Amino acid sequence: EALLERCLAPRLPLLEAPHQSAACLFNGFSEGLPGLVVEVYATTLVIANHAEVDAVLPETLERMAAFFRVRLPWLTAALLKSRRSAIPDERLGWLLWGTSPARKVREHGVVYALNLTLNQDTSLYLDTRGLRAWLKENCAGLSVLNTFAYTGSLGAACAAGGAQRVLQIDLDK
């Protein structure tokens, strides 16, 4: 819990009311629990277990969810995704509590649609937050071709920034 508290403190300014943004709250790969990542999408907590199936005890995951539920009382749902599970629904994610995951987030004034259980990832990569901000600020009047669109968030940032035309393509329809 001390580790989670230390990681959460500097990220709290990203989580201001009305809680529409998204942020990485804990990246275990670099912060001490390899394989575990905790993110928040509006009012939904997502715990992603990238470790081997039996490498992380269920009690650890439950304690993490409980920690964030107490520290962030405005959360309305928590989702757990186990990337290496043999069970497809566990890879896509299941609710630990709450009734439904958030369906949208707001970042740099742009609203992005979400389906947190569509794929084994969350469909909005938070590590490209800075890139989306840069694109929004620098694409006015440009024509943009995004050849690896996947989620479409980079093209949406370009369009929000006034790009004249945005064409997005990806292998995955």
Side-chain angles (χ1 to χ4, degrees):
E1 287 186 8
L3 173 62
L4 295 176
E5 194 74 61
R6 199 168 51 249
C7 294
L8 178 61
R11 294 168 167 116
L12 286 174
L14 297 171
L15 306 176
E16 295 178 354
H19 308 296
Q20 297 175 342
S21 64
C24 180
L25 304 180
F26 178 78
N27 185 339
F29 293 100
S30 59
E31 295 179 305
L33 288 174
L36 292 179
V37 176
V38 180
E39 298 172 331
V40 65
Y41 295 85
T43 58
T44 300
L45 183 75
V46 177
I47 300 174
N49 180 7
H50 298 267
E52 293 297 328
V53 175
D54 296 330
V56 179
L57 297 173
E59 297 82 29
T60 301
L61 300 170
E62 290 169 12
R63 287 180 63 197
M64 288 182 89
F67 169 87
F68 286 105
R69 191 173 197 180
V70 167
R71 300 308 186 286
L72 308 174
W74 43 265
L75 290 171
T76 60
L79 190 66
L80 176 61
K81 291 176 164 276
S82 291
R83 187 174 203 98
R84 297 180 187 231
S85 175
I87 302 167
D89 285 347
E90 290 184 2
R91 290 193 304 271
L92 298 178
W94 70 94
L95 284 170
L96 296 173
W97 43 267
T99 56
S100 62
R103 300 290 298 170
K104 63 183 179 177
V105 296
R106 180 179 300 275
E107 178 186 84
H108 309 296
V110 180
V111 176
Y112 295 94
L114 295 174
N115 186 342
L116 295 172
T117 59
L118 179 64
N119 295 309
Q120 65 184 4
D121 56 39
T122 56
S123 300
L124 182 70
Y125 295 109
L126 299 184
D127 58 348
T128 58
R129 176 187 180 100
L131 177 57
R132 287 188 293 271
W134 186 90
L135 289 168
K136 184 181 176 206
E137 295 298 317
N138 292 282
C139 285
L142 298 178
S143 291
V144 177
L145 173 62
N146 182 357
T147 58
F148 298 94
Y150 188 49
T151 67
S153 70
L154 299 180
C158 294
Q164 181 180 358
R165 183 170 185 229
V166 177
L167 177 61
Q168 303 198 83
I169 59 173
D170 195 274
L171 288 175
D172 187 347
K173 294 177 183 177

